């Protein structure tokens, strides 16, 4: 499908979307709502901070090797105006902010941070897809149904 659209997937990206073993699928699906409820009752992230859910930390520890980390970027596009982009990376640039929790790292460049500060990064395992997602983004006014694009508060 990606090849039909002219896209190429790197080995690192393919590792990020490799499904969990089948036995863990049901447990992950059943625990998703409980994790979201528990995380929404936790204290708000400080100004300019990004929080990681336990499922995000666990999945990053499973898929990253060596100095790899998850990069979160915000780009123009999507059905709501802006879209989240996740990738595995190994290079930290001078304008990047590093958020680490439990040994897992998420890196956000300063331009993208303005659009996601105070948000939470989660890993969601559902029957139809597995993905990293941005939840509870205080900078977003509304988003699309798939959760990958959003419009900002003015």
């Amino acid at each position: 499908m990606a090849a039909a659209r002219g896209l190429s997937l790197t080995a690192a990206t393919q590792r990020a979307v490799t499904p969990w073993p089948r036995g863990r699928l049901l447990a992950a699906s059943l625990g998703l709502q409980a994790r979201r409820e528990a995380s929404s009752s936790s204290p708000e992230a400080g100004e300019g901070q990004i929080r990681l859910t336990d499922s995000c930390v666990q999945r990053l520890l499973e898929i990253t090797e060596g100095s790899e980390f998850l990069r979160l970027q915000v780009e123009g596009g999507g059905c709501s105006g802006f879209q989240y982009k996740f990738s595995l990376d190994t290079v930290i640039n001078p304008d990047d902010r590093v958020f680490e929790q439990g040994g897992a790292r998420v890196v956000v460049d300063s331009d993208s941070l303005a659009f996601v500060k105070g948000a939470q990064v989660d890993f969601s395992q559902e029957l139809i897809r597995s993905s990293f997602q941005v939840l509870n983004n205080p900078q977003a006014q509304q988003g699309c149904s798939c959760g990958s694009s959003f419009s900002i508060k003015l």
Side-chain angles (χ1 to χ4, degrees):
M1 181 85 160
R5 292 185 187 162
L7 302 173
S8 64
L9 297 175
T10 65
T13 305
Q14 289 172 347
R15 278 198 315 273
V17 296
T18 301
W20 285 357
R22 291 184 192 269
R24 293 174 55 191
L25 177 62
L26 181 59
S29 297
L30 294 175
L32 179 61
Q33 184 62 34
R35 280 195 313 275
R36 285 188 177 160
E37 289 172 2
S39 63
S40 65
S41 65
S42 62
E44 288 299 312
E47 180 67 25
Q49 297 295 306
I50 302 293
R51 293 177 289 144
L52 311 181
T53 64
D54 292 340
S55 62
C56 176
V57 170
Q58 179 181 347
R59 186 62 176 156
L60 283 174
L61 293 175
E62 291 172 353
I63 65 171
T64 55
E65 297 174 354
S67 63
E68 283 182 319
F69 55 83
L70 182 68
R71 178 172 293 280
L72 167 59
Q73 295 174 290
V74 174
E75 299 178 334
C79 54
S80 297
F82 293 93
Q83 60 189 3
Y84 303 113
K85 178 182 174 186
F86 291 97
S87 60
L88 292 180
D89 199 351
T90 58
V91 177
I92 297 177
N93 300 313
D95 71 330
D96 286 341
R97 288 274 311 269
V98 179
F99 301 96
E100 186 167 352
Q101 184 175 321
R105 295 184 301 164
V106 173
V107 174
V108 183
D109 64 87
S110 61
D111 292 336
S112 296
L113 185 60
F115 296 101
V116 295
K117 62 184 175 183
Q120 183 174 46
V121 178
D122 184 36
F123 179 75
S124 174
Q125 177 80 25
E126 299 172 2
L127 293 176
I128 59 172
R129 72 175 175 171
S130 302
S131 63
F132 289 101
Q133 299 178 341
V134 174
L135 303 177
N136 306 321
N137 184 355
Q139 310 310 316
Q141 180 174 345
Q142 64 183 18
C144 66
S145 62
C146 68
S148 40
S149 72
F150 66 100
S151 63
I152 60 168
K153 291 181 180 177
L154 299 176

